[in-house]
Amino acid sequence: MKVKYFAWVRERIGKAEETIEPPEHVHTVSELIAWLSDRGEGYAYAFEKPKVIRAAIDQAHVQPDTAISGAREIAFFPAMTGG
């Protein structure tokens, strides 16, 4: 699956996107974040506060407990504020 990173998540990881194949035990967005966090210092820094990270699967916003099975694209970005 393709994973895209936006804003400071991208800056901390050092890349805008990548293609990954998570292990079989990774089933949800939150499990994917935990697995990515273990991939290196930049990932750990980007996902150090998972509650401020938002995710979208195939361009639809999702919750952390959403299953990633069948996803073609997952995007991670910081929570946005604005008015």
Side-chain angles (χ1 to χ4, degrees):
M1 77 183 54
K2 182 181 282 189
V3 179
K4 292 185 174 184
Y5 307 106
F6 293 92
W8 54 257
V9 178
R10 176 186 61 233
E11 293 168 9
R12 292 176 179 188
I13 291 173
K15 59 180 91 174
E17 65 182 55
E18 63 183 321
T19 300
I20 63 166
E21 190 170 325
E24 290 185 20
H25 71 273
V26 175
H27 301 284
T28 65
V29 170
S30 60
E31 290 173 350
L32 180 60
I33 288 173
W35 178 73
L36 288 168
S37 294
D38 288 339
R39 294 185 74 198
E41 187 176 313
Y43 292 94
Y45 183 41
F47 294 115
E48 69 183 345
K49 296 179 183 173
K51 291 185 184 218
V52 302
I53 299 293
R54 299 296 177 255
I57 293 179
D58 298 329
Q59 300 183 359
H61 290 260
V62 296
Q63 297 297 314
D65 61 350
T66 301
I68 63 170
S69 177
R72 293 182 308 271
E73 176 185 280
I74 299 179
F76 291 108
F77 45 91
M80 304 291 178
T81 61

